């Protein structure tokens, strides 16, 4: 991670003798196994919100119960694919 510091009050930038400060990041990923298996299911509340946002973006059309359910399933599948 490379960075410099700025004092917002004065607008002064502080660096390390003309270069950025640098902090090596060890994410602890070496030698670990990759996650195997299906991703977790998106939370139900998130699915409902996403389906609602899609409905609103489509202009809030009137839909039958079957169409609404189909669109909800489509929204859930879209979340799963992200």
């Amino acid at each position: 991670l490379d960075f410099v510091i700025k004092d917002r009050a004065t607008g002064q930038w502080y660096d390390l003798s003309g270069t950025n400060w640098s902090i090596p990041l060890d994410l602890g990923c070496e030698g670990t196994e990759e996650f195997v298996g299906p991703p977790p299911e998106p939370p139900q509340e998130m699915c409902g919100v996403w389906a609602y946002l899609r409905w609103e973006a489509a202009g809030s059309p009137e839909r039958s119960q079957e169409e609404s359910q189909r669109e909800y399933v489509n929204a859930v599948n879209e979340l799963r694919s992200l």
Side-chain angles (χ1 to χ4, degrees):
L1 173 67
D2 288 356
F3 64 95
V4 294
I5 298 172
K6 180 181 181 182
D7 182 346
R8 289 184 179 179
T10 64
Q12 178 71 36
W13 289 91
Y14 299 94
D15 58 28
L16 183 63
S17 302
T19 63
N20 296 343
W21 275 289
S22 183
I23 299 174
L25 296 180
D26 179 13
L27 301 177
C29 297
E30 294 179 23
T32 60
E33 292 183 27
E34 199 171 309
F35 176 76
V36 177
E41 286 294 311
Q44 188 174 4
E45 185 176 357
M46 182 187 293
C47 294
V49 169
W50 189 246
Y52 176 80
L53 291 173
R54 287 172 43 111
W55 172 76
E56 226 180 31
S60 308
E62 291 193 28
R63 295 182 175 150
S64 69
Q65 185 66 28
E66 294 82 22
E67 290 172 320
S68 294
Q69 185 60 35
R70 188 170 46 249
E71 287 301 318
Y72 178 82
V73 169
N74 289 342
V76 171
N77 288 335
E78 184 176 18
L79 279 175
R80 286 179 183 147
S81 71
L82 297 178

